[in-house]
Amino acid sequence: TALASSAKSYTVEAGRSAVEAAYQRLGIKNAHVSSCQYPNYYITRYDLPDPKPLISIIIPNKDEKRTLENCITSITEKSTYPNYEIIIAENNSTEKEIFDYYAQLEQDSRIRIVRWDHPFNYSALNNYAASQAKGDLLLFLNNDISVISPDWLEQMAMHAMRPEIGQVGAKLYYPDNTIQHSGIVLKIGPVANHPHKFLSRFDIGYFGLLVAPHNVSSVTAACAMMRASVFREVGGFDETFTVAYNDVDLSLKVREKGYYILWTPFAELYHDESKTRGLETTPEKMERLDHETALWLSKWDKKYPYDPYYNINLTNEKLDYSVSPNKILKDRT
């Protein structure tokens, strides 16, 4: 026994070797295990095919030139992945400066603008853009995202190419370096919510979940990657969910086909959440949210009365993985 891993540093290498040996026994030859910044935690890197698959990065946008520019610049200047295209799904912009910026962007052969001249429907907008994509991998990305880790595309793509994985999510932070997304837990609130929200980006989370890739029931479409073949197999986004819960619905459709949803902490980005669309505060938006909540519940509530990746003894009212005293009391009575 020891108070800290530093007292028996050989355990770090022993653990790494044990994980790598497990991959070898399973016949997984393209997995390579290394230590990460936390002792006795490890990161597995999977070899990508050669040549590397084309990733189609799909970004919906309406006006917001400065927001979009920050997103695009962070991708083109920081990303180390060599083979990607960017598809901007233009939806009813009116400002001259954004069209001037589009003209500038289109000088880059990797960037295309596709126009969706219909009332805003997040699902329909992304479905249309995906139909124009050339990539083997689709990455749905909000325009208010900016890249932190240069190898974010590699970290997501290596999992998205695994045949058992249907969708991959990233670790997203608010601009103040607190957690915005670490996977989605079903039935926190009426439908779903983001656990660990507002914790420091340097926190390891509940039982180390913030520093270890793991399976979840859903990931946010603010930054989600999947094979184009899987997206087509599940029929894309359900266009009856115009704004809310379309990503949770998509993930569950992927799960219904037998694939896993994976979240990785090694793809890190900032997310200035809801900057373009705004929050659900107007009566009209709240009415639509209520409608889409009822729609989701009618479709999935019976199938998912609880989240299979979330302990049933934990709270459904908070985002901190705390134990629910009400559930324990019920178990005892």
Side-chain angles (χ1 to χ4, degrees):
T1 59
L3 290 175
S5 60
S6 57
K8 293 185 175 181
S9 57
Y10 62 85
T11 63
V12 174
E13 174 55 24
R16 190 204 64 78
S17 297
V19 175
E20 199 160 71
Y23 283 123
Q24 292 170 0
R25 287 194 301 272
L26 291 168
I28 302 173
K29 298 179 180 179
N30 68 331
H32 310 281
V33 183
S34 58
S35 300
C36 68
Q37 65 187 100
Y38 301 100
N40 301 114
Y41 284 83
Y42 306 96
I43 176 171
T44 298
R45 289 179 171 84
Y46 295 86
D47 294 331
L48 282 162
D50 188 19
K52 290 182 172 60
L54 176 66
I55 300 173
S56 296
I57 304 173
I58 295 171
I59 307 174
N61 189 69
K62 179 182 184 295
D63 294 316
E64 290 292 338
K65 186 257 184 179
R66 187 173 299 176
T67 300
L68 180 64
E69 184 175 24
N70 183 52
C71 176
I72 298 293
T73 301
S74 77
I75 294 170
T76 57
E77 292 187 356
K78 293 184 180 179
S79 302
T80 54
Y81 192 88
N83 193 23
Y84 65 85
E85 65 171 358
I86 297 174
I87 300 173
I88 298 170
E90 154 57 31
N91 184 225
N92 300 325
S93 292
T94 58
E95 297 172 2
K96 180 180 181 300
E97 67 171 0
I98 192 63
F99 292 106
D100 291 343
Y101 182 53
Y102 288 159
Q104 176 187 333
L105 287 177
E106 288 184 305
Q107 296 175 24
D108 187 328
S109 60
R110 298 171 297 180
I111 301 176
R112 287 186 285 140
I113 316 296
V114 299
R115 287 167 172 79
W116 177 256
D117 298 323
H118 303 278
F120 180 77
N121 179 318
Y122 182 87
S123 299
L125 183 59
N126 277 287
N127 284 344
Y128 175 70
S131 74
Q132 308 299 303
K134 299 175 182 176
D136 299 305
L137 294 171
L138 303 178
L139 174 61
F140 299 99
L141 194 72
N142 278 18
N143 63 354
D144 53 3
I145 295 277
S146 57
V147 174
I148 297 173
S149 49
D151 66 340
W152 68 294
L153 289 172
E154 288 93 336
Q155 291 292 340
M156 298 182 78
M158 69 181 184
H159 292 297
M161 291 299 292
R162 293 166 57 192
E164 71 273 21
I165 303 296
Q167 196 179 31
V168 180
K171 191 176 188 180
L172 306 182
Y173 307 122
Y174 288 112
D176 65 356
N177 286 309
T178 58
I179 299 293
Q180 188 270 318
H181 178 256
S182 62
I184 291 174
V185 172
L186 306 179
K187 308 315 291 286
I188 294 184
V191 173
N193 213 322
H194 301 258
H196 291 125
K197 209 169 194 177
F198 307 125
L199 283 185
S200 165
R201 65 179 285 185
F202 305 108
D203 200 307
I204 68 167
Y206 178 75
F207 281 87
L209 286 179
L210 284 177
V211 296
H214 59 277
N215 295 132
V216 293
S217 289
S218 177
V219 291
T220 178
C223 183
M225 184 183 290
M226 60 198 303
R227 296 189 299 283
S229 59
V230 175
F231 186 74
R232 291 191 294 268
E233 182 182 355
V234 302
F237 287 98
D238 183 340
E239 296 181 11
T240 59
F241 293 97
T242 58
V243 178
Y245 306 129
N246 39 57
D247 47 5
V248 185
D249 177 78
L250 179 65
S251 292
L252 295 185
K253 291 198 298 180
V254 170
R255 279 181 46 80
E256 291 291 290
K257 293 293 184 179
Y259 299 107
Y260 292 109
I261 313 294
L262 183 137
W263 175 84
T264 176
F266 301 114
E268 298 176 278
L269 307 98
Y270 285 116
H271 182 202
D272 194 356
E273 188 179 27
S274 302
K275 186 168 185 179
T276 300
R277 283 283 304 164
L279 299 174
E280 308 297 326
T281 53
T282 67
E284 180 185 357
K285 288 183 178 181
M286 292 175 69
E287 183 180 352
R288 181 201 40 75
L289 179 61
D290 289 343
H291 168 73
E292 293 183 347
T293 298
L295 180 63
W296 189 95
L297 292 171
S298 68
K299 185 174 181 179
W300 295 109
D301 192 44
K302 205 171 275 189
K303 177 83 175 180
Y304 290 95
Y306 58 89
D307 190 313
Y309 292 103
Y310 185 73
N311 191 302
I312 60 172
N313 295 300
L314 300 180
T315 179
N316 291 99
E317 289 77 41
K318 299 178 183 178
L319 304 173
D320 60 0
Y321 286 89
S322 58
V323 174
S324 171
N326 294 332
K327 292 180 179 179
I328 292 177
L329 184 62
K330 284 181 183 178
D331 288 343
R332 288 178 177 174
T333 54

